[in-house]
Amino acid sequence: MDFEIRLSGSVEIRAAGRRNDLGSTKTRLALACLAWDAARTVSVDALIHRIWDEHPPGKAREALHVHISRIRSSLRIAGGDAPAIVSRTNSYSLEIDPDRVDLRCYTSCVERARSLGDGGDEEGALRLLDRADGLWHGEPLAGITGSWAEHLRAAVEETGLAAAMTRAEILLRGGRFTDAVPVLLPLAEAHPVDEALAERLAVALYGSNRTAEATRLLQRTRQRVVRDIGLDAGRGLHRVHQGILAGTPAEALFPRTGAGEKASPRPTRRVPDNLPRDVPWTGRRDELRRLTSALCEGQGSSDIVTVEAIHGMGGVGKSSLAVHLAHRLRDRFPDGRIFLHLGGYAADRTPPTATRALTELLRLVGMASKELPRELDELVALWRSVTHDRRMLVILDDATSSDQIRPLLPGSSPTAVIVTSRRRLPGLPGVRPVSLDVLPAEDAGALFAQRLGRGRDTDPADVAEIVRICGHLPLAIEIAASRLLARPSWATSDLLRQLGGFGGHLAQLRDADRTLTHVFAVSYDALNAEQQLVFRRIGLHVGVDFRPPAIAALTGFSLETAERVLEELLAHYLVFEPVPLRFTMHDLLRDYARSLLEADDAEDDVRQAGQSLVDHYIRTADRTDRLAYPFRSRTDLDVGDSATPTCPEIVDAQSAEQWLIAESDNLLDTLDWLVKHGTERQLAISVHVLAGFLDMEGHLVEAEPLLRRAAAHWNVAGDSVARARALLDLCAVYTHGSRYGEAIAAGREARDIARSLRDRELEGECVHQVTISLWQTGQYTLARSLQKESLNSLMQTGDRLRMARCRNLLGIIHVHLAEYEDALACFTSALVDFTAIGYERGRYSALNNVAEVRKKTGHLEDAEIAYRQAMVVADRMGNPRDKATLQMNVASVMDELGRTDEALAVYGMVLPILRDVGDRRAEAIALTRIGRAHRAAGRTDEALRHHVAALEVTRAIHAVGDEVDVLFDLSLVERDAGRFSQAVARLEESLALSKGIGAPAEEARAAAALADLRGDVTGGAN
């Protein structure tokens, strides 16, 4: 569909010949804001400032949301091609190709045309310029007022000037002087003191035999420059004028320099340069490239001041980057380089007023203090007049706010400004800040080595650890290097020991002149009391990253307040948001926050805050666990305050599992905190709450000792029900750890307790868990009997979830007994119930099991379809073990369908995952299937190696049913290798085990293969 957003002329949406102008002026402006930044994220703060300037309504965010909703409705005229407006953390983005926005396409065409023109492709450049002209429909954002709209119009006007200059350059280079005149004439009228523009128009007029007009233009321009600026015109105008008077051909008068260059700087001006000294540079290659490109783009022809902002936390190197950049670009700014420190945040320094700052700037460009006005408006006007045609680079360092910066910005000028700040500065038109992060590890090590200089021996491992302790923060690295330089007798190992000494890393990061604590204190002192409290309490957080509900728990604030203050700390670069709504804090900042707790918070408050955080995680985990694993038999939670903030996004099993996965590190850290600081009862209850998460997410190593400790506690406490549930949790963990004997013992002990208590539900869950281990150890007949008995009992209760779960397990046992019709009936019934209940984990399991039956009965294509259906469900659940198991099953179908290499690639991917989560049975199955794939590809040695490894695992975990399969596959490989006696021995062993566990299909398979093999051996002997 022909779809376009127009910003040139009236703001409107066009699609298939239809148009929608959105009605409200503010809605049209909101669309323009998003469209101008198409496919880029725009913060809510920036949108509010663009729409309402400095006077937003009381509920600006709600008003913005209304306008966004109207825009979404208006975009529907594009039907299925309608672009989406994506809401992210405190921001929006219009997901549309920028070329669908007329002005974005216009500027893109002009930029590409200039590039082609510079590269010699003048015809291609002219075609792009013609296309740009066709996109022009009038004044941008017609009928819309406001500072951002004016800024956009000025930026587009600048692009239009660049387009016209590019076209004129091409025409002049081709000797087409008459065609160049109408292009340049309106520009010269709009910019009467632009000397470069006047030069080109004069040459075009002269080349068109309009000599008198050319000389009058030159005279008029010289007079205007003297009158408006107070200085004589540059050499270019004189050169062209003298050439015309001498009759020089027009071709020789055309200045062959780039369209963006202006006359050389005049020696009559003072050229200020108070930059701090540069230092040898390391890293920041991408940031330097971006800033250099932005500052050099359009140099000379720009009437709009270039402003670039560098934001970041204290010590990250903002000022150093700005100064280094200014030194690198010295030749690009021949009229001077100015550094002005704005005193941001320093406790012992009052930031300069705008009047004082402007006075200093004007003094630096050579004006005497006694000649300067005293009123702010007059100083602003004078500063803008002085910078009107100067190409300077001004660094405004350590700014505190956008309001502080605005009066200091030149007006129409080729001057460029770099602003550095410890906080984000919204409301500066046209500024896309560079946010500095800490250095990558490689660059951090290089910076340390560079600061030490040559001749100092260093240990690479020590250096890597030192910069890690420094958190890869440039200032911390420089301080650490300074300490080492000051102690010639020290090696890097001595510095490393010192950094780990008394007081922690932060206290040791100091030299004779600097401490990192002071740098952080400057940022902390700029916060209000509410922000300071949140900052300090983050130091108590048990894990690395956190979400707003955790901060609400630590502070006692409402969730809304916690979200707002975190957003404010984010603007101050005191917290970071690596992924939406998950925050983190630099390690050294966290150390600083902890140090403040000791000084500013009462001991009882700190202890209560830490306990509230633990309660928050355990309570939320209890809620999510009940949604994610509804079949578990639970002990009621009795820790903490029920008013602990919740997570509103947890509404179903899927969102519950996602929360558990996202918070896994914090939950493990919470358990660690409880081990060190909690009571035995708190720990026992908490590990019970988290048992399902620990089991399903593969944290078996952490779970098993804690569950044993919990069972021992409940035994001492005399709480039989809680002890039975702890044993049941332990049974499940043992099962997934392939420790089947221990699982059966724990499950039976729990069952006996449940029977003595006459707790039918708990007893049924114990039987279910024991049955899983019986199945996995090949005790199929007993397992089938137990599950049928459980199913009959459950049918009396009407518990649909547990009946479906029971049928699913019973079906698995039927498969191993080669009762495929019974198995399929169980799986189909379970799938219907799981779907009706909305239990995704059950659906995944049933679909996987249906696929297994299809595969065993030779319906490979149907099996692959069912496996892939199960994978869709598993992807939503996010469990790594389930995903890996499904991928392994799909790979087995690929292998049987002849796609062996494809299957091996998948096996190679999932095997490490299964080992990581500790599922040894699945590991053995994967090894077996890898061996089969290698055998199919004729790689006998590789097949033999993997089957032997699988046999070792199955025997170690006593998985007799799987051992039967491994022995059978191993016999086939032994036969292929010509080792017939070993093959016979493997088959005999497989046959004996099959008989022992009552697996008729496997028994028949082994007997048939044994008969064939013995026949082959006999035939070979004859």
Side-chain angles (χ1 to χ4, degrees):
M1 177 182 289
D2 183 19
F3 176 79
E4 177 188 30
I5 295 177
R6 284 194 180 179
L7 305 184
S8 173
S10 296
V11 176
E12 60 186 30
I13 300 169
R14 289 180 172 249
R18 300 163 60 201
R19 58 182 289 273
N20 188 325
D21 65 3
L22 296 95
S24 163
T25 299
K26 295 299 185 188
T27 303
R28 287 188 286 125
L29 181 53
L31 173 62
C33 295
L34 291 170
W36 182 247
D37 280 294
R40 294 187 294 232
T41 298
V42 187
S43 73
V44 169
D45 287 341
L47 287 170
I48 289 172
H49 179 79
R50 291 179 183 183
I51 296 170
W52 288 286
D53 284 341
E54 303 302 325
H55 307 287
K59 295 185 177 180
R61 289 173 178 263
E62 289 82 350
L64 175 62
H65 181 72
V66 170
H67 292 303
I68 296 293
S69 298
R70 290 174 182 169
I71 294 169
R72 285 181 171 134
S73 297
S74 298
L75 289 171
R76 291 180 189 142
I77 68 169
D81 294 330
I85 298 178
V86 177
S87 173
R88 295 187 175 89
T89 305
N90 198 35
S91 63
Y92 291 96
S93 65
L94 177 60
E95 299 299 317
I96 185 177
D97 182 350
D99 281 351
R100 295 278 189 174
V101 181
D102 61 350
L103 287 188
R104 285 291 301 278
C105 188
Y106 173 83
T107 57
S108 174
C109 288
V110 172
E111 289 169 3
R112 288 157 55 203
R114 294 173 68 186
S115 177
L116 289 178
D118 292 342
D121 185 1
E122 296 184 346
E123 289 301 319
L126 288 174
R127 283 194 298 272
L128 282 171
L129 291 172
D130 289 340
R131 183 185 174 195
D133 288 345
L135 293 165
W136 187 259
H137 306 105
E139 180 187 51
L141 278 57
I144 296 176
T145 59
S147 60
W148 184 79
E150 291 300 326
H151 161 71
L152 177 63
R153 283 191 275 269
V156 175
E157 181 184 357
E158 178 186 350
T159 303
L161 176 61
M165 289 291 284
T166 302
R167 184 184 293 275
E169 292 277 0
I170 293 171
L171 295 174
L172 290 172
R173 280 198 293 267
R176 298 163 61 183
F177 300 108
T178 302
D179 293 337
V181 170
V183 176
L184 293 168
L185 196 55
L187 299 179
E189 293 171 354
H191 305 277
V193 293
D194 190 319
E195 298 177 35
L197 185 55
E199 289 174 35
R200 285 152 179 76
L201 178 55
V203 172
L205 290 167
Y206 175 55
S208 304
N209 297 319
R210 297 162 66 175
T211 304
E213 290 180 63
T215 56
R216 283 197 300 272
L217 169 68
L218 292 169
Q219 291 169 348
R220 186 169 64 248
T221 303
R222 289 179 61 187
Q223 292 167 356
R224 290 288 296 271
V225 169
V226 172
R227 187 187 71 192
D228 293 353
I229 302 176
L231 297 170
D232 193 11
R235 296 176 183 175
L237 289 180
H238 289 286
R239 181 183 60 81
V240 172
H241 197 182
Q242 291 300 318
I244 292 174
L245 294 177
T248 305
E251 291 82 355
L253 292 178
F254 173 58
R256 294 291 173 174
T257 55
E261 287 199 18
K262 285 193 175 182
S264 300
R266 291 174 284 281
T268 55
R269 290 180 175 176
R270 175 179 173 181
V271 178
D273 192 346
N274 71 331
L275 289 180
R277 72 180 184 88
D278 199 8
V279 294
W281 195 253
T282 297
R284 303 292 191 207
R285 289 171 288 275
D286 291 340
E287 293 90 342
L288 280 169
R289 190 180 303 115
R290 173 180 165 184
L291 288 165
T292 299
S293 174
L295 290 169
C296 295
E297 187 178 38
Q299 277 288 311
S301 66
S302 174
D303 282 340
I304 304 298
V305 65
T306 300
V307 182
E308 294 298 320
I310 304 174
H311 297 168
M313 68 180 285
V316 82
K318 304 176 295 295
S319 300
S320 297
L321 176 60
V323 170
H324 177 67
L325 186 65
H327 281 286
R328 281 185 58 170
L329 300 179
R330 178 180 296 272
D331 294 339
R332 296 273 187 169
F333 297 95
D335 291 325
R337 293 148 300 280
I338 295 175
F339 182 92
L340 181 65
H341 183 66
L342 296 179
Y345 307 107
D348 58 348
R349 185 196 301 264
T350 302
T353 63
T355 299
R356 201 171 92 202
L358 283 167
T359 299
E360 178 66 11
L361 287 170
L362 289 164
R363 189 188 63 76
L364 286 168
V365 297
M367 301 193 73
S369 298
K370 62 182 180 181
E371 298 175 356
L372 298 177
R374 295 181 180 276
E375 296 300 323
L376 178 59
D377 290 346
E378 295 178 9
L379 285 167
V380 170
L382 181 58
W383 170 242
R384 291 179 178 175
S385 174
V386 166
T387 58
H388 178 73
D389 68 337
R390 296 191 190 221
R391 197 188 307 170
M392 295 190 299
L393 180 60
V394 178
I395 298 174
L396 301 176
D397 185 53
D398 213 5
T400 61
S401 68
S402 300
D403 290 338
Q404 185 190 32
I405 294 299
R406 286 193 194 94
L408 311 184
L409 298 180
S412 297
S413 171
T415 288
V417 178
I418 301 175
V419 181
T420 73
S421 180
R422 298 181 185 219
R423 62 166 298 170
R424 289 178 172 84
L425 300 176
L428 290 179
V431 177
R432 291 194 180 90
V434 172
S435 293
L436 291 192
D437 200 349
V438 296
L439 292 170
E442 183 179 350
D443 288 345
L447 175 62
F448 183 83
Q450 185 187 77
R451 294 298 185 262
L452 285 182
R454 295 182 179 179
R456 193 69 180 258
D457 291 334
T458 59
D459 183 293
D462 287 346
V463 171
E465 182 62 13
I466 288 168
V467 298
R468 186 199 65 76
I469 288 173
C470 292
H472 300 156
L473 187 68
L475 180 58
I477 293 168
E478 290 186 8
I479 291 174
S482 174
R483 288 201 70 182
L484 189 57
L485 283 170
R487 309 294 285 270
S489 63
W490 281 14
T492 49
S493 57
D494 297 308
L495 174 62
L496 192 56
R497 278 192 296 274
Q498 196 70 21
L499 290 176
F502 178 77
H505 305 323
L506 187 63
Q508 297 299 325
L509 284 169
R510 66 181 192 278
D511 60 18
D513 302 314
R514 300 170 294 181
T515 68
L516 208 58
T517 299
H518 173 72
V519 174
F520 292 161
V522 168
S523 295
Y524 177 76
D525 290 341
L527 303 177
N528 61 37
E530 201 174 51
Q531 294 163 348
Q532 288 182 342
L533 177 62
V534 171
F535 178 82
R536 295 195 306 273
R537 293 291 171 85
I538 290 172
L540 287 172
H541 192 269
V542 293
V544 173
D545 63 355
F546 48 87
R547 298 182 65 252
I551 302 307
L554 278 168
T555 58
F557 290 159
S558 68
L559 184 58
E560 293 75 14
T561 301
E563 289 174 343
R564 173 178 56 77
V565 177
L566 279 173
E567 188 175 324
E568 292 163 358
L569 293 180
L570 186 66
H572 283 267
Y573 285 92
L574 292 173
V575 297
F576 305 93
E577 191 179 18
V579 296
L581 287 178
R582 293 201 73 84
F583 299 86
T584 187
M585 180 181 276
H586 191 277
D587 287 346
L588 293 176
L589 275 173
R590 194 185 296 265
D591 287 347
Y592 177 64
R594 291 188 185 117
S595 72
L596 293 173
L597 282 167
E598 298 173 4
D600 298 346
D601 292 68
E603 186 176 341
D604 287 346
D605 291 341
V606 172
R607 183 168 53 252
Q608 182 56 49
Q611 185 63 59
S612 295
L613 177 68
V614 170
D615 291 347
H616 156 70
Y617 278 123
I618 296 303
R619 283 196 168 280
T620 309
D622 182 60
R623 178 180 166 218
T624 56
D625 183 83
R626 290 172 188 272
L627 288 169
Y629 312 115
F631 49 82
R632 288 188 61 210
S633 180
R634 287 180 173 78
T635 297
D636 289 336
L637 197 61
D638 63 351
V639 297
D641 180 4
S642 61
T644 300
T646 59
C647 299
E649 72 277 12
I650 304 172
V651 295
D652 54 21
Q654 183 179 341
S655 58
E657 278 208 39
Q658 289 171 348
W659 185 89
L660 288 167
I661 293 168
E663 297 290 350
S664 59
D665 288 341
N666 286 329
L667 294 174
L668 293 173
D669 287 332
T670 298
L671 279 179
D672 185 59
W673 186 94
L674 285 164
V675 168
K676 296 173 182 174
H677 306 290
T679 66
E680 283 298 309
R681 179 179 179 80
Q682 285 176 320
L683 178 62
I685 291 175
S686 298
V687 74
H688 168 68
V689 166
L690 295 173
F693 151 74
L694 293 168
D695 178 30
M696 297 307 295
E697 299 306 321
H699 300 293
L700 306 182
V701 174
E702 295 89 344
E704 189 251 339
L706 293 178
L707 286 168
R708 282 194 287 104
R709 183 168 165 178
H713 165 75
W714 296 124
N715 188 41
V716 172
D719 191 331
S720 298
V721 175
R723 181 164 178 264
R725 289 180 179 131
L727 288 167
L728 185 58
D729 294 335
L730 196 55
C731 172
V733 167
Y734 279 145
T735 299
H736 277 132
S738 303
R739 295 164 63 176
Y740 301 119
E742 292 164 282
I744 292 169
R748 284 175 171 164
E749 186 178 356
R751 181 201 59 191
D752 292 343
I753 295 172
R755 281 179 178 171
S756 69
L757 296 171
R758 298 184 178 180
D759 188 330
R760 297 288 297 278
E761 180 182 312
L762 180 57
E763 181 184 352
E765 191 60 32
C766 294
V767 170
H768 185 89
Q769 288 296 335
V770 169
T771 303
I772 294 174
S773 291
L774 292 173
W775 146 54
Q776 291 180 336
T777 53
Q779 301 177 62
Y780 302 133
T781 304
L782 177 57
R784 180 178 60 186
S785 174
L786 285 174
Q787 281 308 100
K788 284 186 174 181
E789 184 179 332
S790 289
L791 182 59
N792 289 332
S793 178
L794 286 169
M795 290 177 71
Q796 307 303 314
T797 68
D799 188 332
R800 198 169 183 183
L801 171 61
R802 283 187 166 81
M803 284 192 291
R805 193 159 153 259
C806 183
R807 285 193 178 98
N808 196 41
L809 180 55
L810 181 58
I812 293 171
I813 299 165
H814 281 311
V815 169
H816 285 276
L817 291 168
E819 298 163 356
Y820 297 125
E821 289 186 9
D822 290 339
L824 193 57
C826 284
F827 296 145
T828 303
S829 178
L831 182 58
V832 169
D833 285 343
F834 285 138
T835 303
I837 297 167
Y839 184 50
E840 291 288 271
R841 178 171 297 284
R843 284 192 67 227
Y844 141 76
S845 179
L847 283 166
N848 177 68
N849 293 332
V850 167
E852 283 290 300
V853 173
R854 297 299 187 196
K855 183 174 72 173
K856 284 186 174 293
T857 54
H859 300 88
L860 298 180
E861 290 81 2
D862 292 341
E864 184 171 5
I865 291 170
Y867 278 136
R868 294 198 181 278
Q869 288 174 336
M871 287 180 74
V872 172
V873 180
D875 283 340
R876 292 197 296 267
M877 294 175 357
N879 182 286
R881 175 168 49 213
D882 293 341
K883 289 182 180 180
T885 301
L886 273 171
Q887 289 173 318
M888 177 175 68
N889 292 341
V890 171
S892 70
V893 176
M894 293 175 181
D895 187 27
E896 293 194 35
L897 289 170
R899 292 147 54 190
T900 301
D901 290 339
E902 194 177 346
L904 281 170
V906 176
Y907 286 137
M909 180 177 62
V910 302
L911 184 58
I913 298 173
L914 296 172
R915 284 172 170 161
D916 285 344
V917 300
D919 192 336
R920 300 212 71 198
R921 177 174 179 268
E923 176 190 348
I925 293 171
L927 288 167
T928 299
R929 292 178 179 178
I930 292 172
R932 289 175 186 169
H934 280 302
R935 178 174 177 263
R939 294 187 283 268
T940 303
D941 289 343
E942 281 295 305
L944 191 62
R945 182 169 65 85
H946 282 89
H947 283 311
V948 169
L951 185 61
E952 291 175 358
V953 175
T954 55
R955 285 177 170 169
I957 63 177
H958 309 293
V960 181
D962 296 314
E963 186 181 352
V964 166
D965 288 334
V966 175
L967 287 165
F968 179 80
D969 285 301
L970 191 52
S971 73
L972 300 180
V973 180
E974 300 274 20
R975 185 190 65 188
D976 293 347
R979 297 158 61 173
F980 294 105
S981 59
Q982 291 95 324
V984 169
R986 301 292 189 191
L987 282 173
E988 288 174 341
E989 194 173 358
S990 178
L991 180 61
L993 288 175
S994 300
K995 289 179 179 178
I997 63 175
E1002 286 76 7
E1003 181 183 346
R1005 178 186 66 181
L1010 192 58
D1012 290 342
L1013 185 58
R1014 283 171 173 161
D1016 290 342
V1017 172
T1018 303
N1022 292 335

